[in-house]
Amino acid sequence: MLYLETGTTNSYNESPTSGARGGCVISLPEHLNGITPQFKGMALISASSQYTNLGLLNSMEQNNGSTSTSPYNNDHAQNSVTAPSPYAQPSSTFDALSPSPAIPSNTDYAGPHTFDVSFQQSSTAKSATWTYSTDLKKLYCQIAKTCPIQIKVLTPPPQAAVIRAMPVYKKAEHVTEVVKRCPNHELSREFNDGQIAPPSHLIRVEGNSHAQYVEDTITGRQSVLVPYEPPQVGTEFTTILYNFMCNSSCVGGMNRRPILIIVTLETRDGQVLGRRCFEARICACPGRDRKADEDSIRKQHVTDNSKSSEAYRHISQSIQMSTIKKRRSTDEEVFCLPIKGREIYEMLVKIKESLELMQLLPQQTIESYRQQQQNLLQKQ
């Protein structure tokens, strides 16, 4: 039950005289005493609705005891999502890291299974489609031609092991770039029609339907995987046929920048069990280019050896001259020289006496004597 009362206060008070449970008196401000009953009723309805809302909140608190149902209580805080701090490091930076390194290692690593890569014996003939220089650790091959590479291990790797081949640039100023085919070869229909390999990949595998071409989503590096197969009976090697699909001189691609081929033995989850690395050059005439590179290296070695020998000779002569000067100034030893023939003996005696007298004369007298001899020669 609600009672309307006019007065000087605007608060809600409980009625002390009401017998009805929950009854209260709603006091109106004094300036509303002169209004009509219709407006008083409107004020009563508005005030009663506000009081009803407060009564609902009080009843909810009484029903739940001392537990608060505010949206800011502890239970709500436990179930809500905490807003990230603006000073916190973004976890996505680390969650999105690639499992493969940004700069692959090119250091040879035999690993626990003594992993090794080798090539068949090849020649430098002009007709050769590929050739390998053991002195330079460098492969020369024609574009899109079959190049067999031999894989060898001493102990079997784990099940589902794979062989990965990845190209990287050799020089430090280019190593962060991804090695890809030039736009001309990538967009051309030649060597691309009917191929399962992506057109941008430089290395392809021939004759293996299980080959998988991979491009890292973070680093963008491209590689090709094939399952490791043990050697057949009576052989030591497992042979993989590779194709290289762009020339080293192609503009927009390698552009004459030297590249390395990194061949790794890995588990299925990417753990490296062995690594071998060699340089590769894709060109029109592998035999000619190999011969030219080897001749250039030999000439360079000869030049370096000759320079080092000349330097050694000069140093040794300087040491000998300094030793002789020291002996002349400090040596007091006496030597006996056997001489055959009196004439030669008397001549050597005169030379000996002249040298001894020369040591006794002052330097100024010796210089004047030499000047006189030069003047006599000029007059003649």
Side-chain angles (χ1 to χ4, degrees):
M1 181 70 69
L2 297 176
Y3 302 91
L4 179 63
E5 182 183 87
T6 60
T8 60
T9 179
N10 59 353
S11 61
Y12 303 109
N13 300 315
E14 294 182 358
S15 175
T17 58
S18 174
R21 185 177 180 182
C24 66
V25 177
I26 301 176
S27 300
L28 296 176
E30 187 175 358
H31 68 276
L32 295 178
N33 291 337
I35 64 174
T36 62
Q38 181 181 0
F39 288 103
K40 285 185 178 181
M42 293 175 62
L44 176 62
I45 294 171
S46 175
S48 65
S49 63
Q50 296 179 12
Y51 182 82
T52 305
N53 291 337
L54 290 175
L56 288 173
L57 291 175
N58 292 333
S59 63
M60 291 174 65
E61 291 179 357
Q62 292 174 1
N63 293 335
N64 295 332
S66 61
T67 304
S68 174
T69 58
S70 170
Y72 304 102
N73 62 8
N74 293 334
D75 295 339
H76 179 78
Q78 292 176 359
N79 297 329
S80 62
V81 178
T82 305
S85 171
Y87 304 102
Q89 293 292 335
S91 60
S92 59
T93 303
F94 304 99
D95 294 341
L97 285 178
S98 171
S100 60
I103 301 177
S105 173
N106 57 12
T107 303
D108 286 343
Y109 169 62
H113 305 284
T114 318
F115 177 71
D116 194 18
V117 171
S118 61
F119 294 84
Q120 301 173 359
Q121 187 175 1
S122 56
S123 65
T124 57
K126 291 183 178 181
S127 59
T129 58
W130 71 272
T131 183
Y132 180 78
S133 172
T134 55
D135 296 334
L136 305 178
K137 287 188 66 177
K138 189 172 182 178
L139 172 68
Y140 302 81
C141 62
Q142 293 180 351
I143 183 173
K145 297 296 183 181
T146 304
C147 181
I149 296 181
Q150 297 174 334
I151 306 297
K152 181 181 179 180
V153 292
L154 291 185
T155 57
Q159 292 291 331
V162 295
I163 304 293
R164 182 193 300 270
M166 176 188 296
V168 297
Y169 284 111
K170 181 179 180 180
K171 294 185 177 179
E173 56 265 32
H174 307 137
V175 71
T176 56
E177 298 183 38
V178 178
V179 182
K180 293 184 178 181
R181 298 174 75 190
C182 70
N184 183 34
H185 284 116
E186 181 180 352
L187 301 176
S188 174
R189 297 182 61 182
E190 186 181 14
F191 307 131
N192 291 330
D193 288 349
Q195 296 291 328
I196 62 172
S200 62
H201 279 240
L202 174 67
I203 305 177
R204 293 179 182 175
V205 174
E206 179 182 343
N208 193 325
S209 59
H210 300 289
Q212 181 180 357
Y213 297 89
V214 180
E215 180 171 339
D216 194 284
T217 56
I218 305 300
T219 64
R221 295 198 181 272
Q222 299 176 343
S223 58
V224 56
L225 303 174
V226 293
Y228 170 79
E229 298 178 358
Q232 300 181 20
V233 177
T235 61
E236 297 180 352
F237 305 97
T238 299
T239 302
I240 303 176
L241 306 179
Y242 286 106
N243 300 147
F244 299 90
M245 307 307 299
C246 198
N247 287 318
S248 297
S249 58
C250 284
V251 178
M254 290 174 278
N255 199 15
R256 301 187 182 279
R257 293 177 292 181
I259 65 169
L260 300 174
I261 307 300
I262 302 176
V263 182
T264 53
L265 173 66
E266 303 178 6
T267 61
R268 194 60 187 176
D269 57 358
Q271 181 184 356
V272 177
L273 302 176
R275 183 191 309 111
R276 294 296 177 184
C277 179
F278 57 87
E279 188 175 351
R281 174 178 172 82
I282 303 96
C283 51
C285 190
R288 178 197 61 192
D289 289 357
R290 173 189 168 183
K291 188 175 183 302
D293 286 351
E294 289 179 341
D295 291 344
S296 176
I297 292 297
R298 290 192 189 98
K299 290 179 181 178
Q300 184 66 32
H301 286 170
V302 170
T303 303
D304 294 342
N305 292 335
S306 62
K307 288 182 179 180
S308 61
S309 62
E310 288 178 1
Y312 175 77
R313 190 181 302 112
H314 178 72
I315 293 173
S316 62
Q317 288 177 354
S318 300
I319 294 173
Q320 289 176 0
M321 293 299 295
S322 62
T323 304
I324 292 173
K325 289 180 181 180
K326 289 180 180 179
R327 286 180 179 178
R328 285 179 179 176
S329 60
T330 61
D331 198 354
E332 298 295 336
E333 293 183 72
V334 177
F335 296 92
C336 296
L337 181 64
I339 301 170
K340 185 177 181 180
R342 177 164 293 275
E343 186 177 357
I344 297 175
Y345 168 73
E346 291 177 353
M347 187 181 299
L348 291 176
V349 168
K350 290 179 180 179
I351 294 174
K352 167 185 170 294
E353 291 175 350
S354 300
L355 293 173
E356 290 177 348
L357 289 173
M358 216 175 145
Q359 291 178 355
L360 297 175
L361 293 174
Q363 186 67 26
Q364 185 177 359
T365 304
I366 296 173
E367 293 295 336
S368 62
Y369 173 77
R370 289 176 178 172
Q371 188 65 33
Q372 291 176 2
Q373 294 297 320
Q374 288 182 358
N375 293 336
L376 291 175
L377 292 174
Q378 290 177 358
K379 288 179 181 181
Q380 292 179 357

